Amino acid sequence: ILTMRTLIALVLLGFIATAMADDWFKECGDLQRLKVKQQWAQAFGQGTGRESFGTSLWRNLFKRAPKATELFKRVNGDNVFSNAFQAHIQRVLGGLDMCISLLDDEGTFNAELSHLASQHADRGIAAENYDIFKAALLDVVPDELGSCFDQDAWSDCFDVISTGIKG
Amino acid sequence: MMLGLFVILALSSGAMAQNCCSAENGREVQRMWQEVWSAEFTGRRIAVARSVFADLFAAHPGVIPLFARVQGDNVDSPEFRSHCVRVVNALDTSIHMLSSSAVLNKQLEHLSEQHIAREGVKAAHFGALAHSFSRVMPQVTNCFNPSSWENCFNRITNGIAAGLP
């Protein structure tokens, strides 16, 4: 039979274990967020490389999922080199840039994710398309970073962002 | 008659040369902007955007209600901070596109549609916003060049304000 004192001790231990899990084993933890921010800034570049980076990302994505072009009819998805689609590419990269830059500012990050969730809610995007986007992203970012790419940090932090956008 | 026409043409092309966002202006704006903008430093982005809106709201308190949906009356709320990041991010994308004019035009059409959908937003508001940017940018970037900045900022805001009352 558990005495009251043992019970309290067990409950306390439970709390401590949970707190430790939050701090030490959390996926996309504080340090991973800093690293992804730094690696993204390097990959996204300060200017000249953005078009080629974005074009590679979307060509990679459409090779994985040719039918996904249909979701982008409004912005000329059948020609990734068109002005309309190039502008769309930069809007998406801009959205991703905002999310990544806010990874270490929780309140603003959550407000931005709920804004993006409302923009994507009525577009009928299947959950698997977020996985395809993730696979394409994790395929092209290392082209800019080489072997320093931290795949686990990117994978974990991308999931935090896409979960937020899915709403 | 011919001479008069020639003088008018000369004057108007002179005026255009002064006010249009040339390739050289565009490159200089990109340089001034890159110094304050990087995903690594979120705090910089919010500090710049918040200062611009604080300046705008102080000069034109009447526009604050236009931002009610994002809590414009509390510039420190997460909703307004994320709005700040979106505005300056759209500017970042547009500044980057100064070197690809046709793509920039598509982007400005898109931003224009987004603003036409917001009741109460007027073309003149973008002039006020431009003034606020011109007061904030020299405080944060090195060797600010006002004429390059204003020429290209106007190129962007004229595109967004097209079709607004």
Side-chain angles (χ1 to χ4, degrees), chain A residues 94-164:
Chain A
L96 191 57
D97 183 58
M98 281 191 274
C99 293
I100 294 175
S101 80
L102 290 172
L103 277 169
D104 56 349
D105 182 345
E106 197 177 0
T108 317
F109 179 65
N110 291 333
E112 180 55 28
L113 287 180
S114 62
H115 179 89
L116 288 172
S118 71
Q119 284 186 330
H120 288 81
D122 50 3
R123 299 231 186 261
I125 304 168
E128 66 194 46
N129 284 333
Y130 289 93
D131 297 334
I132 295 165
F133 187 95
K134 175 180 173 177
L137 183 69
L138 267 61
D139 206 6
V140 297
V141 172
D143 289 343
E144 310 291 327
L145 295 167
S147 62
C148 297
F149 179 65
D150 189 335
Q151 183 167 298
D152 294 336
W154 274 83
S155 175
D156 293 346
C157 290
F158 182 84
D159 290 346
V160 171
I161 293 169
S162 63
T163 303

Side-chain angles (χ1 to χ4, degrees), chain A residues 10 14 22 30 32 49 53 71 74 82 118 131 147 161:
Chain A
L10 276 175
D22 277 354
D30 293 346
Q32 286 186 312
F53 174 75
L71 288 168
R74 206 177 52 89
S82 63
S118 71
D131 297 334
S147 62
I161 293 169

Side-chain angles (χ1 to χ4, degrees), chain B residues 15-73:
Chain B
M16 278 167 69
Q18 275 173 7
N19 298 324
C20 89
C21 171
S22 67
E24 192 184 357
N25 287 165
R27 281 192 295 274
E28 189 157 24
V29 167
Q30 287 168 345
R31 174 196 66 78
M32 292 187 278
W33 182 248
Q34 279 162 18
E35 288 171 0
V36 293
W37 188 265
S38 163
E40 272 185 275
F41 312 112
T42 321
R44 286 191 199 181
R45 297 181 171 194
I46 295 175
V48 171
R50 194 183 166 287
S51 302
V52 167
F53 278 101
D55 187 280
L56 178 71
F57 290 170
H60 305 275
V63 303
I64 299 175
L66 293 174
F67 301 92
R69 207 177 52 91
V70 288
Q71 299 195 13
D73 54 348

